[in-house]
Structures are given as structure tokens and as C-alpha cells.
Amino acid sequence: MATTETVSSLQPDPSSFTPIRNVGPYKITKDICLTPFSASDAAELHRVLNINNAVSLGLYTASVTFPFPLEEAQNFISRQVAKRTERGFVDCWAIRSGEEGSVIGLLSLHAFGHETDGAPACYHASPLSDELDGEGDSKKPLRCGVLGYWLSPEFTGRGIMTRVVEYGLRHLARSAMGYERVHGKAWEDNVASCRVMERAGMMRAASVARFVPKFGEIKSSAHYILDV
């Protein structure tokens, strides 16, 4: 099973090849697989996100609108390709109906930027070294990731998203991404999304209400965490 892809500069110099981590394919079931997005996915991504407004309404992010322009689908994929080329790893995967199948959803495990998200850092106590004479506990910030996901309305109600999220938390979050804790968010009224995280073992930690320009109203979001 391949786990890296190779990217080179314009000059075919073998010494300049850089392996990209976490490419997969990651087989969840015999019919569901995770691989990176590619340019050829743009048309199907555009189609899926325009079936109805379910994905747009359900997502925490404001970047996915309804209708969703084809140009935005192309730009999204271009950004994913550029990021993994620059960083050397994949942290956002297309959920596919088979290894060579069409895009039916998305799973992401981005690094959680506590400062940019306006959230305090997460800590865990660790034993002091001998040099500190045992005066209290030292604290190190946890390496945190944030979970993101959506699924095509054509495939909901089959338990697919729960299986994919479980796989990401158990097999990718720690070993592939190096996270110690994963955060997840969902609108409180998005019961299905909350249940996905709960069934995957995440614990509800907080509820936050804020004004959301996307909806033009105050909405409450449920915040989940899981130490991996």
C-alpha cells in the first residue's frame, strides 16, 4: 500500500524529489477510501456541493456556500495541492467510493491554531526533570488538531461518516499527524454531526454561542475533544 507521493521541481533532478507523507490510500471499508484531492475532482466536488444546501448549512466554516461555484471547487483543490507540496504532508483527504472512485465527502485533520482560533492552549502535566528539584509540575502544551468533515447527501444515513471519523482519530491523528488531542465543532442543531463525533468517542467539552454572519443570527456550537 502506497503511503507517499513524489513531487519534483520543473527540472527532473532525482535528488530534488520530496516524498509527501499521509497520501494513502487509506481503505476504511471495501467501498470507502481516503486519498488526496486531485485536479480531476473539481467537477464532481462542484456537483456534490450543489445537490442541496445541506453541506453548506451543516458546516462550521463560512467558506462553503450554496450555490458553490465551480471556480471555488477548482481553487480549493489548487490550495490543497499547493499546501501538501509546500509542507510535505497531507492533512485533508477526499472520501471516495473506492480507491479510484468519485469524491463523496471530505475528512481533514488540520493543526489547531489556538491563537488564531481565540482559544487557550491545552496542557497536560508532565514529570519534572531532576534539574528542577521536583518543585511542582511542569506543563507542556499539547499538540492539537482540529477535525473537519462532510459527506454528500447521497451517502448520508449509512454510518459512513462515523466510520471515516473513527478511522481518522484512531489511525491518522496520532501516528500520521502527531497530535495528542483532537478538537471538533458542530452546530448544536446539527444533531447528526454531533452524533458522529460522540459515536467516534469524542467528549463534549463546551457550548459557545456567537453571531454567525453566514446565517445572520446567533447560533450555539458544541465543542468536542478526544485525547489520542
Side-chain angles (χ1 to χ4, degrees):
M1 177 180 291
T3 57
T4 61
E5 68 180 17
T6 300
V7 175
S8 67
S9 63
L10 294 178
Q11 299 298 323
D13 177 9
S15 65
S16 67
F17 288 3
T18 303
I20 295 181
R21 297 183 288 113
N22 311 336
V23 171
Y26 300 111
K27 192 170 184 179
I28 312 299
T29 69
K30 64 182 181 66
D31 299 316
I32 304 298
C33 186
L34 299 178
T35 71
F37 283 92
S38 65
S40 60
D41 292 321
E44 183 64 6
L45 181 62
H46 172 252
R47 185 195 73 81
V48 168
L49 291 177
N50 285 290
I51 292 174
N52 57 37
N53 64 355
V55 174
S56 176
L57 291 179
L59 286 178
Y60 196 81
T61 178
S63 62
V64 177
T65 59
F66 180 82
F68 191 70
L70 176 60
E71 183 179 4
E72 286 303 311
Q74 294 167 334
N75 290 341
F76 168 79
I77 292 174
S78 295
R79 289 194 298 271
Q80 296 307 310
V81 173
K83 285 178 181 178
R84 69 182 184 239
T85 302
E86 177 183 353
R87 299 173 180 176
F89 63 87
V90 177
D91 61 1
C92 181
W93 301 267
I95 305 171
R96 301 185 185 277
S97 55
E99 187 173 332
E100 304 296 332
S102 299
V103 174
I104 65 170
L106 171 149
L107 176 75
S108 65
L109 285 166
H110 301 308
F112 185 56
H114 289 278
E115 294 181 359
T116 57
D117 285 312
C122 297
Y123 292 91
H124 67 121
S126 59
L128 285 173
S129 63
D130 293 336
E131 290 78 12
L132 296 178
D133 299 323
E135 296 179 359
D137 289 332
S138 76
K139 287 189 175 182
K140 294 182 178 180
L142 290 168
R143 296 186 299 273
C144 295
V146 60
L147 173 69
Y149 56 88
W150 58 259
L151 189 66
S152 166
E154 298 168 311
F155 289 85
T156 56
R158 308 183 193 180
I160 293 173
M161 199 69 257
T162 299
R163 291 190 185 95
V164 171
V165 169
E166 285 177 340
Y167 185 93
L169 294 174
R170 293 178 182 177
H171 301 287
L172 298 176
R174 182 83 182 203
S175 61
M177 302 305 303
Y179 301 139
E180 296 168 286
R181 174 173 290 173
V182 176
H183 299 252
K185 298 177 183 178
W187 303 120
E188 286 191 337
D189 57 9
N190 189 348
V191 177
S193 186
C194 290
R195 285 178 177 169
V196 164
M197 288 187 279
E198 290 165 2
R199 289 170 179 163
M202 301 189 79
M203 178 183 68
R204 185 162 174 167
S207 178
V208 179
R210 65 184 180 91
F211 179 77
V212 186
K214 175 179 178 178
F215 299 108
E217 62 179 309
I218 294 176
K219 286 180 70 72
S220 293
S221 60
H223 189 162
Y224 290 81
I225 60 171
L226 178 70
D227 290 340
V228 295

